[in-house]
Amino acid sequence: MAAAVVAAVVSQLALTVDIALDAGRDVTTTVANFFSFFTILSNVSAAIVLAIAGVRGLRRPDGTDGTGLAVALASVTTYMVITGIVYNLLLRGIELAPGTTVPWSNEVLHVVAPLFLALDLFLGPRRRALVWRAMWAIVAFPIVWVVYTMVRGTLVTNPVTGDPFWYPYPFLNPNNPALQPPGYAGVAVYVVGIAVGILFVGAAVVFLGRRRAQRPAGASDSSASSSGSSAG
């Protein structure tokens, strides 16, 4: 899955750069914009974490995920599930110029990879129970990304339209006339709604991980001893 995500990101990046070069646009800004999308950052993070988890699983097939890896998996799972939900509910119907996206790459990044992470949450072995304060780590990146996006948006000239602003998604653009209420108030509505979604999905990920985590060996031994004593 990590390899598929990397291939999807590279394929879309290559097409995006080719289009920018053909149109005489600034490539540096184009690449920076590309890696400012939450979808791309989430998928790149997921690919890294999945690759690490895969290597660790091959090297230590009987071990439980370390705390750091467990937090990273919970985080990217949350981001990818949110990516899938937001794209398919809010963005799939938006028409883009023909030839600007790689169709199979788009589906991998927005559908296949989010579904894979969701299935891994339910089926992946060796889950480690996380303490609830791990939620702070999960929500940290989305908070930083929103602040970065809103600050950067006013500082970048859109390389396609020439507008003196650039935002990765229409619902984050305060200049979008379709926002209701208009302006930053409309942006705030979406940000709060997505924030609630992230908190809900993140809490569900931690909860399910705690439920599925293997019981400590001591607890199992204790239960077995108690059963043996009762039977005797």
Side-chain angles (χ1 to χ4, degrees):
M1 193 67 245
V5 169
V6 170
V9 170
V10 171
S11 296
Q12 183 59 56
L13 176 61
L15 177 61
T16 301
V17 171
D18 283 345
I19 292 172
L21 289 172
D22 291 341
R25 300 169 188 157
D26 184 73
V27 174
T28 301
T29 301
T30 298
V31 173
N33 288 351
F34 181 83
F35 285 104
S36 293
F37 283 91
F38 188 83
T39 293
I40 298 300
L41 293 174
S42 297
N43 273 275
V44 170
S45 300
I48 293 172
V49 174
L50 287 172
I52 293 172
V55 171
R56 180 184 175 87
L58 291 173
R59 296 179 63 181
R60 300 178 59 183
D62 299 325
T64 302
D65 291 336
T67 302
L69 180 57
V71 172
L73 274 170
S75 297
V76 297
T77 298
T78 301
Y79 309 151
M80 292 298 287
V81 170
I82 288 295
T83 292
I85 292 172
V86 171
Y87 173 78
N88 287 285
L89 289 182
L90 300 178
L91 302 173
R92 181 173 283 278
I94 295 177
E95 294 186 6
L96 300 174
T100 57
T101 61
V102 181
W104 70 265
S105 169
N106 197 55
E107 294 305 306
V108 168
L109 300 179
H110 295 101
V111 179
V112 178
L115 284 175
F116 180 91
L117 268 296
L119 287 174
D120 179 69
L121 175 63
F122 288 96
L123 304 176
R126 307 181 313 156
R127 285 285 171 176
R128 174 182 289 273
L130 293 174
V131 295
W132 282 105
R133 64 174 175 271
M135 285 291 297
W136 290 107
I138 293 174
V139 303
F141 167 67
I143 292 173
V144 172
W145 177 79
V146 167
V147 173
Y148 159 80
T149 297
M150 300 313 297
V151 171
R152 183 177 183 270
T154 61
L155 304 176
V156 177
T157 298
N158 190 317
V160 177
T161 64
D163 292 330
F165 51 82
W166 182 88
Y167 297 90
Y169 303 107
F171 53 81
L172 292 180
N173 180 5
N175 305 284
N176 180 2
L179 281 180
Q180 293 297 328
Y184 283 99
V187 172
V189 170
Y190 279 98
V191 169
V192 170
I194 293 173
V196 171
I198 289 175
L199 287 171
F200 177 81
V201 173
V205 168
V206 173
F207 173 77
L208 289 170
R210 290 168 65 91
R211 287 290 299 270
R212 293 196 59 240
Q214 294 180 351
R215 297 180 63 186
S220 298
D221 293 341
S222 175
S223 298
S225 298
S226 298
S227 298
S229 298
S230 299

